[in-house]
């Protein structure tokens, strides 16, 4: 299971992705719009059970790579578990618990906020951001949604005697270790390297590789870095995201599920037995990400009744529901066979 080795695997092709329709915007019974994208569903044996669009083209998973970055840091000696490890893999909402957790990681490392190199920003969570603005607070590095990851990167670098000011350089030993881990877990070479929104290196893999990596975390042996990251994120889902965030609610609704979202319409999720899904919405529309991911999980065998809350927000007309975003019929659950 999941036997491909980056020592022999190639990088995914860099091309315009051959996306396919994955969701319809239906208003009043008429398809008003179409969201294109790609979807992959893996079985517990690692085989592709469903694919839509282009699951092998190179793409940037954005923050969906954070669990893999956290695995790399644990392998390099980062001594975190529980809520603070979840924060190290987080795209957090900027709540006080997230800011306090990031301060705690920096304190444990003997470092301060000035050592961070992520971009200053406002909190990601809309309600938190609104309160921040009302209070007249300015953007800062702690509030930026990747601050937990950056604090953990700094501590990892310090523990290994690596330089700190350039910890975001792709040639830095820390980032080389991250790249090695991503290649190992995805089972493929990295196609391209660029810079993510927070300033950290961003590595391009395929949607198939991303799903495979998530499955490797949820099937990792207890106590290993992969299992520790998966356990921390599942047990502290709101530390990895925030109050009311759909990715946290999804992990709570499906026992044992590991899920991580990423900007530009990316979602990955994996079950304890290795079944996994990954989604990329071509236009980056957040409104299609979670309904399509939920439909993919139903195709993977999750009880659709556990996923009803993730069908997407209704479309309103005159303040009343008149439609919604619906995954395409190819994502409909496969009915169980009945006895004759």
């Amino acid at each position: 299971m999941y036997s491909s080795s980056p020592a022999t695997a190639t990088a995914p092709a860099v091309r315009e992705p051959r996306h396919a329709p994955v969701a319809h915007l239906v208003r009043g019974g008429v398809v008003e719009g179409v969201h294109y994208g790609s979807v992959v569903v893996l079985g517990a044996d690692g085989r592709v059970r469903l694919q839509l669009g282009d699951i092998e083209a190179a793409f940037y998973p954005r923050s969906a790579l954070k669990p893999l970055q956290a695995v790399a840091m644990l392998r390099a000696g980062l001594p975190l578990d529980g809520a603070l490890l979840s924060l190290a893999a987080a795209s957090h909402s900027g709540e006080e618990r997230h800011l306090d957790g990031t301060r705690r990681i920096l304190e444990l490392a003997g470092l301060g906020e000035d050592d961070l190199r992520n971009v200053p920003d406002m909190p990601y969570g809309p309600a938190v951001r609104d309160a921040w603005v009302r209070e007249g607070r300015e953007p800062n590095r702690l509030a930026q949604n990747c601050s937990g990851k950056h604090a953990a990167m700094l501590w990892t670098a310090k523990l290994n005697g690596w330089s700190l000011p350039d910890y975001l350089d792709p040639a830095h030993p820390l980032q080389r270790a991250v790249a090695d881990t991503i290649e190992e877990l995805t089972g493929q070479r990295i196609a391209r390297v660029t810079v993510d929104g927070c300033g950290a290196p961003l590595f391009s893999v395929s949607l198939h590789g991303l799903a495979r990596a998530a499955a490797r975390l949820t099937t990792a042996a207890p106590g290993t870095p992969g299992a520790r990251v998966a356990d921390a994120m599942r047990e502290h889902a709101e530390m990895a995201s925030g109050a009311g965030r759909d990715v946290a609610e999804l992990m709570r609704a499906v026992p044992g599920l590991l899920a991580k979202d990423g900007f530009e319409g990316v979602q990955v999720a994996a079950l304890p037995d290795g079944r996994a899904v990954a989604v990329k919405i071509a236009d980056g529309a957040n409104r299609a990400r979670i309904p399509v991911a939920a439909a993919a999980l139903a195709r993977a065998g999750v009880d659709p009744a556990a996923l009803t809350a993730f069908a997407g927000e209704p479309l309103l007309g005159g303040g009343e529901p008149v439609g919604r975003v619906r995954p395409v019929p190819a994502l409909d659950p496969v009915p169980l066979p009945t006895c004759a």
Side-chain angles (χ1 to χ4, degrees):
M1 184 168 69
Y2 308 122
S3 60
S4 67
S5 167
T8 57
T10 58
V14 177
R15 60 175 180 242
E16 181 177 346
R18 301 159 188 161
H19 292 306
V22 295
H24 293 150
L25 180 67
V26 180
R27 181 184 295 270
V30 173
V31 175
E32 184 178 31
V34 180
H35 288 291
Y36 281 70
S38 296
V39 180
V40 61
V41 177
L42 302 183
D45 59 359
R47 295 181 181 177
V48 174
R49 300 303 185 192
L50 174 76
Q51 66 180 83
L52 293 177
D54 195 345
I55 69 170
E56 303 297 353
F59 89 119
Y60 290 116
R62 303 298 299 271
S63 287
L65 279 179
K66 284 177 178 172
L68 311 190
Q69 293 170 316
V71 169
M73 289 187 276
L74 292 183
R75 289 177 171 181
L78 180 68
L80 286 180
D81 279 297
L84 292 184
L85 178 55
S86 184
L87 181 60
S91 299
H92 65 70
S93 291
E95 300 163 15
E96 287 304 321
R97 59 178 155 182
H98 301 129
L99 277 60
D100 289 343
T102 301
R103 291 188 189 98
R104 179 59 179 158
I105 294 172
L106 291 170
E107 178 185 336
L108 290 167
L111 300 169
E113 184 178 347
D114 289 343
D115 294 298
L116 294 169
R117 293 292 181 268
N118 59 317
V119 294
D121 202 355
M122 308 290 276
Y124 175 69
V128 185
R129 183 172 59 249
D130 289 348
W132 193 279
V133 172
R134 286 195 303 270
E135 294 165 6
R137 301 170 75 177
E138 298 292 330
N140 68 39
R141 298 184 195 277
L142 286 177
Q144 198 269 335
N145 77 91
C146 304
S147 63
K149 176 184 78 174
H150 281 256
M153 284 183 168
L154 279 167
W155 195 7
T156 304
K158 185 174 180 181
L159 287 167
N160 285 276
W162 298 329
S163 59
L164 301 185
D166 61 340
Y167 75 93
L168 296 181
D169 187 329
H172 191 279
L174 170 66
Q175 303 303 339
R176 292 204 305 269
V178 169
D180 288 346
T181 295
I182 290 171
E183 289 191 333
E184 176 191 333
L185 294 175
T186 61
Q188 58 193 190
R189 295 289 187 184
I190 290 166
R192 291 284 191 276
V193 181
T194 188
V195 182
D196 209 341
C198 65
L202 178 60
F203 304 99
S204 181
V205 295
S206 73
L207 199 66
H208 188 181
L210 179 65
R212 184 164 47 226
R216 283 176 164 159
L217 299 194
T218 58
T219 59
T224 60
R228 287 166 60 191
V229 170
D231 289 345
M233 293 180 68
R234 289 181 294 208
E235 292 169 12
H236 303 275
E238 291 186 344
M239 199 61 145
S241 53
R245 292 270 293 279
D246 54 36
V247 69
E249 297 298 327
L250 189 61
M251 284 194 276
R252 295 191 187 285
V254 182
L257 185 73
L258 172 66
K260 184 69 187 76
D261 53 348
F263 280 155
E264 296 301 323
V266 180
Q267 182 71 54
V268 66
L271 292 153
D273 63 1
R275 287 174 290 159
V277 307
V279 170
K280 165 63 181 175
I281 305 300
D283 62 2
N286 207 43
R287 68 182 178 186
R289 170 184 55 83
I290 203 70
V292 171
L297 284 168
R299 282 298 298 262
V302 174
D303 183 358
L307 299 166
T308 55
F310 307 99
E313 295 295 325
L315 301 178
L316 302 180
E320 297 296 326
V322 294
R324 65 174 58 249
V325 174
R326 294 180 183 169
V328 294
L331 286 167
D332 288 348
V334 176
L336 295 175
T338 57
C339 298

mmCIF file of all heavy atoms in Angstrom, residues 8-49:
data_model
loop_
_atom_site.group_PDB
_atom_site.id
_atom_site.type_symbol
_atom_site.label_atom_id
_atom_site.label_comp_id
_atom_site.label_asym_id
_atom_site.label_seq_id
_atom_site.Cartn_x
_atom_site.Cartn_y
_atom_site.Cartn_z
ATOM 1 N N THR A 8 12.387 7.051 -7.205
ATOM 2 C CA THR A 8 12.191 6.645 -8.590
ATOM 3 C C THR A 8 11.037 7.377 -9.251
ATOM 4 O O THR A 8 10.924 7.386 -10.464
ATOM 5 C CB THR A 8 11.919 5.131 -8.659
ATOM 6 O OG1 THR A 8 10.784 4.814 -7.839
ATOM 7 C CG2 THR A 8 13.119 4.337 -8.166
ATOM 8 N N ALA A 9 10.154 7.993 -8.466
ATOM 9 C CA ALA A 9 8.997 8.670 -9.031
ATOM 10 C C ALA A 9 9.420 9.950 -9.734
ATOM 11 O O ALA A 9 10.454 10.535 -9.443
ATOM 12 C CB ALA A 9 7.990 8.978 -7.931
ATOM 13 N N THR A 10 8.595 10.385 -10.653
ATOM 14 C CA THR A 10 8.851 11.631 -11.359
ATOM 15 C C THR A 10 7.971 12.732 -10.796
ATOM 16 O O THR A 10 7.035 12.485 -10.035
ATOM 17 C CB THR A 10 8.565 11.470 -12.858
ATOM 18 O OG1 THR A 10 7.195 11.063 -13.025
ATOM 19 C CG2 THR A 10 9.473 10.419 -13.472
ATOM 20 N N ALA A 11 8.253 13.961 -11.185
ATOM 21 C CA ALA A 11 7.433 15.090 -10.774
ATOM 22 C C ALA A 11 6.173 15.140 -11.629
ATOM 23 O O ALA A 11 6.181 14.724 -12.789
ATOM 24 C CB ALA A 11 8.217 16.390 -10.922
ATOM 25 N N PRO A 12 5.083 15.632 -11.085
ATOM 26 C CA PRO A 12 3.880 15.780 -11.910
ATOM 27 C C PRO A 12 4.098 16.795 -13.031
ATOM 28 O O PRO A 12 4.932 17.698 -12.914
ATOM 29 C CB PRO A 12 2.824 16.265 -10.910
ATOM 30 C CG PRO A 12 3.605 16.875 -9.793
ATOM 31 C CD PRO A 12 4.867 16.103 -9.706
ATOM 32 N N ALA A 13 3.337 16.639 -14.092
ATOM 33 C CA ALA A 13 3.504 17.506 -15.253
ATOM 34 C C ALA A 13 3.036 18.922 -14.948
ATOM 35 O O ALA A 13 1.987 19.123 -14.328
ATOM 36 C CB ALA A 13 2.716 16.949 -16.430
ATOM 37 N N VAL A 14 3.830 19.894 -15.385
ATOM 38 C CA VAL A 14 3.438 21.293 -15.268
ATOM 39 C C VAL A 14 2.698 21.654 -16.550
ATOM 40 O O VAL A 14 3.296 21.741 -17.630
ATOM 41 C CB VAL A 14 4.660 22.204 -15.063
ATOM 42 C CG1 VAL A 14 4.243 23.664 -15.016
ATOM 43 C CG2 VAL A 14 5.395 21.817 -13.786
ATOM 44 N N ARG A 15 1.395 21.807 -16.442
ATOM 45 C CA ARG A 15 0.561 22.095 -17.601
ATOM 46 C C ARG A 15 -0.704 22.797 -17.135
ATOM 47 O O ARG A 15 -0.988 22.855 -15.939
ATOM 48 C CB ARG A 15 0.180 20.793 -18.321
ATOM 49 C CG ARG A 15 -0.605 19.815 -17.453
ATOM 50 C CD ARG A 15 -1.074 18.596 -18.248
ATOM 51 N NE ARG A 15 -1.812 17.670 -17.407
ATOM 52 C CZ ARG A 15 -1.456 16.409 -17.145
ATOM 53 N NH1 ARG A 15 -0.343 15.925 -17.661
ATOM 54 N NH2 ARG A 15 -2.207 15.640 -16.383
ATOM 55 N N GLU A 16 -1.467 23.324 -18.088
ATOM 56 C CA GLU A 16 -2.774 23.846 -17.733
ATOM 57 C C GLU A 16 -3.651 22.669 -17.327
ATOM 58 O O GLU A 16 -3.858 21.747 -18.124
ATOM 59 C CB GLU A 16 -3.415 24.579 -18.907
ATOM 60 C CG GLU A 16 -4.766 25.168 -18.565
ATOM 61 C CD GLU A 16 -5.368 25.964 -19.704
ATOM 62 O OE1 GLU A 16 -4.635 26.275 -20.666
ATOM 63 O OE2 GLU A 16 -6.576 26.264 -19.628
ATOM 64 N N PRO A 17 -4.150 22.660 -16.080
ATOM 65 C CA PRO A 17 -4.908 21.491 -15.627
ATOM 66 C C PRO A 17 -6.152 21.260 -16.480
ATOM 67 O O PRO A 17 -6.838 22.203 -16.895
ATOM 68 C CB PRO A 17 -5.292 21.858 -14.186
ATOM 69 C CG PRO A 17 -4.303 22.897 -13.779
ATOM 70 C CD PRO A 17 -3.996 23.668 -15.023
ATOM 71 N N ARG A 18 -6.443 19.998 -16.727
ATOM 72 C CA ARG A 18 -7.614 19.611 -17.524
ATOM 73 C C ARG A 18 -8.796 19.393 -16.586
ATOM 74 O O ARG A 18 -9.283 18.277 -16.402
ATOM 75 C CB ARG A 18 -7.282 18.357 -18.317
ATOM 76 C CG ARG A 18 -6.094 18.540 -19.267
ATOM 77 C CD ARG A 18 -5.463 17.224 -19.660
ATOM 78 N NE ARG A 18 -4.215 17.432 -20.421
ATOM 79 C CZ ARG A 18 -3.272 16.506 -20.577
ATOM 80 N NH1 ARG A 18 -3.431 15.311 -20.027
ATOM 81 N NH2 ARG A 18 -2.190 16.774 -21.268
ATOM 82 N N HIS A 19 -9.229 20.495 -15.975
ATOM 83 C CA HIS A 19 -10.313 20.417 -15.017
ATOM 84 C C HIS A 19 -11.633 20.049 -15.701
ATOM 85 O O HIS A 19 -11.803 20.247 -16.911
ATOM 86 C CB HIS A 19 -10.475 21.753 -14.284
ATOM 87 C CG HIS A 19 -9.348 22.092 -13.362
ATOM 88 N ND1 HIS A 19 -8.911 21.236 -12.377
ATOM 89 C CD2 HIS A 19 -8.569 23.213 -13.271
ATOM 90 C CE1 HIS A 19 -7.919 21.815 -11.715
ATOM 91 N NE2 HIS A 19 -7.684 23.001 -12.241
ATOM 92 N N ALA A 20 -12.548 19.536 -14.891
ATOM 93 C CA ALA A 20 -13.867 19.141 -15.358
ATOM 94 C C ALA A 20 -14.914 19.769 -14.446
ATOM 95 O O ALA A 20 -14.600 20.205 -13.334
ATOM 96 C CB ALA A 20 -13.993 17.619 -15.336
ATOM 97 N N PRO A 21 -16.174 19.832 -14.878
ATOM 98 C CA PRO A 21 -17.220 20.317 -13.971
ATOM 99 C C PRO A 21 -17.290 19.446 -12.709
ATOM 100 O O PRO A 21 -17.331 18.224 -12.805
ATOM 101 C CB PRO A 21 -18.496 20.189 -14.799
ATOM 102 C CG PRO A 21 -18.035 20.251 -16.214
ATOM 103 C CD PRO A 21 -16.707 19.548 -16.223
ATOM 104 N N VAL A 22 -17.280 20.098 -11.549
ATOM 105 C CA VAL A 22 -17.410 19.359 -10.288
ATOM 106 C C VAL A 22 -18.602 19.828 -9.465
ATOM 107 O O VAL A 22 -19.026 19.144 -8.537
ATOM 108 C CB VAL A 22 -16.121 19.451 -9.443
ATOM 109 C CG1 VAL A 22 -14.964 18.747 -10.154
ATOM 110 C CG2 VAL A 22 -15.757 20.896 -9.112
ATOM 111 N N ALA A 23 -19.158 21.008 -9.790
ATOM 112 C CA ALA A 23 -20.312 21.506 -9.053
ATOM 113 C C ALA A 23 -21.109 22.451 -9.927
ATOM 114 O O ALA A 23 -20.547 23.199 -10.734
ATOM 115 C CB ALA A 23 -19.880 22.211 -7.768
ATOM 116 N N HIS A 24 -22.431 22.401 -9.756
ATOM 117 C CA HIS A 24 -23.334 23.304 -10.461
ATOM 118 C C HIS A 24 -23.918 24.310 -9.474
ATOM 119 O O HIS A 24 -24.298 23.936 -8.354
ATOM 120 C CB HIS A 24 -24.475 22.524 -11.102
ATOM 121 C CG HIS A 24 -24.033 21.638 -12.210
ATOM 122 N ND1 HIS A 24 -24.677 20.451 -12.519
ATOM 123 C CD2 HIS A 24 -22.999 21.743 -13.088
ATOM 124 C CE1 HIS A 24 -24.067 19.877 -13.534
ATOM 125 N NE2 HIS A 24 -23.046 20.633 -13.902
ATOM 126 N N LEU A 25 -24.004 25.536 -9.911
ATOM 127 C CA LEU A 25 -24.702 26.563 -9.162
ATOM 128 C C LEU A 25 -26.138 26.571 -9.681
ATOM 129 O O LEU A 25 -26.408 27.014 -10.801
ATOM 130 C CB LEU A 25 -24.032 27.916 -9.378
ATOM 131 C CG LEU A 25 -24.632 29.115 -8.659
ATOM 132 C CD1 LEU A 25 -24.457 28.979 -7.156
ATOM 133 C CD2 LEU A 25 -23.992 30.398 -9.151
ATOM 134 N N VAL A 26 -27.054 26.039 -8.872
ATOM 135 C CA VAL A 26 -28.435 25.852 -9.313
ATOM 136 C C VAL A 26 -29.326 26.883 -8.624
ATOM 137 O O VAL A 26 -29.372 26.959 -7.398
ATOM 138 C CB VAL A 26 -28.926 24.425 -8.996
ATOM 139 C CG1 VAL A 26 -30.366 24.249 -9.457
ATOM 140 C CG2 VAL A 26 -28.021 23.390 -9.648
ATOM 141 N N ARG A 27 -30.017 27.671 -9.430
ATOM 142 C CA ARG A 27 -30.943 28.673 -8.912
ATOM 143 C C ARG A 27 -32.305 28.452 -9.573
ATOM 144 O O ARG A 27 -32.423 28.472 -10.797
ATOM 145 C CB ARG A 27 -30.441 30.084 -9.211
ATOM 146 C CG ARG A 27 -31.343 31.206 -8.671
ATOM 147 C CD ARG A 27 -30.826 32.581 -9.103
ATOM 148 N NE ARG A 27 -29.527 32.871 -8.507
ATOM 149 C CZ ARG A 27 -29.357 33.477 -7.321
ATOM 150 N NH1 ARG A 27 -30.416 33.822 -6.596
ATOM 151 N NH2 ARG A 27 -28.152 33.726 -6.871
ATOM 152 N N GLY A 28 -33.311 28.201 -8.747
ATOM 153 C CA GLY A 28 -34.651 28.005 -9.284
ATOM 154 C C GLY A 28 -34.740 26.872 -10.272
ATOM 155 O O GLY A 28 -35.498 26.947 -11.240
ATOM 156 N N GLY A 29 -33.962 25.818 -10.044
ATOM 157 C CA GLY A 29 -34.009 24.657 -10.908
ATOM 158 C C GLY A 29 -33.231 24.778 -12.194
ATOM 159 O O GLY A 29 -33.260 23.865 -13.027
ATOM 160 N N VAL A 30 -32.509 25.888 -12.376
ATOM 161 C CA VAL A 30 -31.717 26.105 -13.574
ATOM 162 C C VAL A 30 -30.242 26.218 -13.186
ATOM 163 O O VAL A 30 -29.909 26.865 -12.192
ATOM 164 C CB VAL A 30 -32.164 27.388 -14.310
ATOM 165 C CG1 VAL A 30 -31.225 27.717 -15.470
ATOM 166 C CG2 VAL A 30 -33.592 27.242 -14.813
ATOM 167 N N VAL A 31 -29.385 25.592 -13.979
ATOM 168 C CA VAL A 31 -27.950 25.701 -13.731
ATOM 169 C C VAL A 31 -27.492 27.102 -14.138
ATOM 170 O O VAL A 31 -27.429 27.425 -15.326
ATOM 171 C CB VAL A 31 -27.164 24.628 -14.494
ATOM 172 C CG1 VAL A 31 -25.664 24.841 -14.308
ATOM 173 C CG2 VAL A 31 -27.558 23.238 -14.007
ATOM 174 N N GLU A 32 -27.208 27.910 -13.151
ATOM 175 C CA GLU A 32 -26.802 29.296 -13.393
ATOM 176 C C GLU A 32 -25.301 29.423 -13.608
ATOM 177 O O GLU A 32 -24.822 30.336 -14.285
ATOM 178 C CB GLU A 32 -27.225 30.158 -12.196
ATOM 179 C CG GLU A 32 -26.952 31.637 -12.372
ATOM 180 C CD GLU A 32 -27.438 32.458 -11.186
ATOM 181 O OE1 GLU A 32 -27.442 31.942 -10.050
ATOM 182 O OE2 GLU A 32 -27.813 33.618 -11.396
ATOM 183 N N GLY A 33 -24.532 28.538 -13.022
ATOM 184 C CA GLY A 33 -23.089 28.583 -13.148
ATOM 185 C C GLY A 33 -22.487 27.208 -12.926
ATOM 186 O O GLY A 33 -23.150 26.300 -12.398
ATOM 187 N N VAL A 34 -21.240 27.061 -13.338
ATOM 188 C CA VAL A 34 -20.542 25.781 -13.212
ATOM 189 C C VAL A 34 -19.165 26.031 -12.609
ATOM 190 O O VAL A 34 -18.416 26.885 -13.095
ATOM 191 C CB VAL A 34 -20.388 25.086 -14.578
ATOM 192 C CG1 VAL A 34 -19.647 23.757 -14.417
ATOM 193 C CG2 VAL A 34 -21.746 24.862 -15.242
ATOM 194 N N HIS A 35 -18.850 25.295 -11.548
ATOM 195 C CA HIS A 35 -17.504 25.317 -10.982
ATOM 196 C C HIS A 35 -16.729 24.130 -11.545
ATOM 197 O O HIS A 35 -17.157 22.984 -11.410
ATOM 198 C CB HIS A 35 -17.540 25.212 -9.460
ATOM 199 C CG HIS A 35 -18.044 26.437 -8.781
ATOM 200 N ND1 HIS A 35 -17.342 27.620 -8.767
ATOM 201 C CD2 HIS A 35 -19.190 26.676 -8.091
ATOM 202 C CE1 HIS A 35 -18.019 28.534 -8.093
ATOM 203 N NE2 HIS A 35 -19.154 27.986 -7.675
ATOM 204 N N TYR A 36 -15.594 24.433 -12.163
ATOM 205 C CA TYR A 36 -14.702 23.385 -12.647
ATOM 206 C C TYR A 36 -13.669 23.063 -11.565
ATOM 207 O O TYR A 36 -13.417 23.867 -10.673
ATOM 208 C CB TYR A 36 -14.003 23.829 -13.927
ATOM 209 C CG TYR A 36 -14.865 23.724 -15.162
ATOM 210 C CD1 TYR A 36 -15.946 24.581 -15.346
ATOM 211 C CD2 TYR A 36 -14.612 22.766 -16.137
ATOM 212 C CE1 TYR A 36 -16.755 24.491 -16.463
ATOM 213 C CE2 TYR A 36 -15.412 22.662 -17.263
ATOM 214 C CZ TYR A 36 -16.478 23.522 -17.424
ATOM 215 O OH TYR A 36 -17.285 23.416 -18.536
ATOM 216 N N GLY A 37 -13.068 21.899 -11.675
ATOM 217 C CA GLY A 37 -12.045 21.510 -10.727
ATOM 218 C C GLY A 37 -11.634 20.080 -10.945
ATOM 219 O O GLY A 37 -11.909 19.481 -12.000
ATOM 220 N N SER A 38 -10.974 19.528 -9.947
ATOM 221 C CA SER A 38 -10.535 18.137 -9.996
ATOM 222 C C SER A 38 -10.763 17.493 -8.634
ATOM 223 O O SER A 38 -10.679 18.165 -7.602
ATOM 224 C CB SER A 38 -9.057 18.050 -10.387
ATOM 225 O OG SER A 38 -8.850 18.544 -11.706
ATOM 226 N N VAL A 39 -11.057 16.202 -8.657
ATOM 227 C CA VAL A 39 -11.359 15.442 -7.440
ATOM 228 C C VAL A 39 -10.739 14.064 -7.564
ATOM 229 O O VAL A 39 -10.819 13.434 -8.629
ATOM 230 C CB VAL A 39 -12.888 15.280 -7.241
ATOM 231 C CG1 VAL A 39 -13.181 14.489 -5.967
ATOM 232 C CG2 VAL A 39 -13.583 16.631 -7.206
ATOM 233 N N VAL A 40 -10.150 13.584 -6.482
ATOM 234 C CA VAL A 40 -9.674 12.207 -6.431
ATOM 235 C C VAL A 40 -10.162 11.559 -5.150
ATOM 236 O O VAL A 40 -10.190 12.187 -4.086
ATOM 237 C CB VAL A 40 -8.132 12.127 -6.533
ATOM 238 C CG1 VAL A 40 -7.442 12.855 -5.384
ATOM 239 C CG2 VAL A 40 -7.668 10.673 -6.603
ATOM 240 N N VAL A 41 -10.587 10.310 -5.263
ATOM 241 C CA VAL A 41 -10.996 9.492 -4.119
ATOM 242 C C VAL A 41 -10.134 8.236 -4.125
ATOM 243 O O VAL A 41 -10.101 7.515 -5.131
ATOM 244 C CB VAL A 41 -12.488 9.103 -4.195
ATOM 245 C CG1 VAL A 41 -12.857 8.191 -3.029
ATOM 246 C CG2 VAL A 41 -13.369 10.344 -4.204
ATOM 247 N N LEU A 42 -9.435 7.996 -3.033
ATOM 248 C CA LEU A 42 -8.603 6.804 -2.895
ATOM 249 C C LEU A 42 -9.270 5.797 -1.973
ATOM 250 O O LEU A 42 -9.866 6.171 -0.962
ATOM 251 C CB LEU A 42 -7.226 7.151 -2.314
ATOM 252 C CG LEU A 42 -6.370 8.157 -3.077
ATOM 253 C CD1 LEU A 42 -5.017 8.304 -2.384
ATOM 254 C CD2 LEU A 42 -6.184 7.737 -4.530
ATOM 255 N N GLY A 43 -9.162 4.512 -2.319
ATOM 256 C CA GLY A 43 -9.617 3.458 -1.433
ATOM 257 C C GLY A 43 -8.596 3.178 -0.352
ATOM 258 O O GLY A 43 -7.480 3.719 -0.357
ATOM 259 N N ALA A 44 -8.959 2.309 0.574
ATOM 260 C CA ALA A 44 -8.044 1.967 1.664
ATOM 261 C C ALA A 44 -6.781 1.288 1.157
ATOM 262 O O ALA A 44 -5.753 1.279 1.847
ATOM 263 C CB ALA A 44 -8.764 1.077 2.679
ATOM 264 N N ASP A 45 -6.840 0.727 -0.031
ATOM 265 C CA ASP A 45 -5.665 0.080 -0.615
ATOM 266 C C ASP A 45 -4.792 1.053 -1.398
ATOM 267 O O ASP A 45 -3.790 0.659 -1.997
ATOM 268 C CB ASP A 45 -6.091 -1.078 -1.513
ATOM 269 C CG ASP A 45 -7.005 -0.628 -2.659
ATOM 270 O OD1 ASP A 45 -7.312 0.578 -2.738
ATOM 271 O OD2 ASP A 45 -7.422 -1.492 -3.451
ATOM 272 N N GLY A 46 -5.180 2.325 -1.415
ATOM 273 C CA GLY A 46 -4.399 3.334 -2.110
ATOM 274 C C GLY A 46 -4.745 3.504 -3.569
ATOM 275 O O GLY A 46 -4.208 4.387 -4.236
ATOM 276 N N ARG A 47 -5.652 2.679 -4.080
ATOM 277 C CA ARG A 47 -6.017 2.783 -5.490
ATOM 278 C C ARG A 47 -7.036 3.903 -5.708
ATOM 279 O O ARG A 47 -7.827 4.213 -4.833
ATOM 280 C CB ARG A 47 -6.590 1.456 -5.984
ATOM 281 C CG ARG A 47 -5.578 0.306 -5.966
ATOM 282 C CD ARG A 47 -6.199 -0.968 -6.489
ATOM 283 N NE ARG A 47 -5.234 -2.082 -6.452
ATOM 284 C CZ ARG A 47 -5.522 -3.331 -6.801
ATOM 285 N NH1 ARG A 47 -6.757 -3.628 -7.222
ATOM 286 N NH2 ARG A 47 -4.602 -4.267 -6.734
ATOM 287 N N VAL A 48 -6.998 4.475 -6.897
ATOM 288 C CA VAL A 48 -7.946 5.523 -7.250
ATOM 289 C C VAL A 48 -9.305 4.887 -7.487
ATOM 290 O O VAL A 48 -9.470 4.041 -8.369
ATOM 291 C CB VAL A 48 -7.482 6.290 -8.506
ATOM 292 C CG1 VAL A 48 -8.547 7.289 -8.942
ATOM 293 C CG2 VAL A 48 -6.159 7.007 -8.231
ATOM 294 N N ARG A 49 -10.292 5.302 -6.701
ATOM 295 C CA ARG A 49 -11.656 4.805 -6.847
ATOM 296 C C ARG A 49 -12.513 5.746 -7.679
ATOM 297 O O ARG A 49 -13.508 5.314 -8.262
ATOM 298 C CB ARG A 49 -12.294 4.619 -5.463
ATOM 299 C CG ARG A 49 -11.569 3.635 -4.559
ATOM 300 C CD ARG A 49 -11.442 2.278 -5.204
ATOM 301 N NE ARG A 49 -10.847 1.292 -4.310
ATOM 302 C CZ ARG A 49 -10.407 0.097 -4.690
ATOM 303 N NH1 ARG A 49 -10.505 -0.254 -5.972
ATOM 304 N NH2 ARG A 49 -9.888 -0.744 -3.821
#
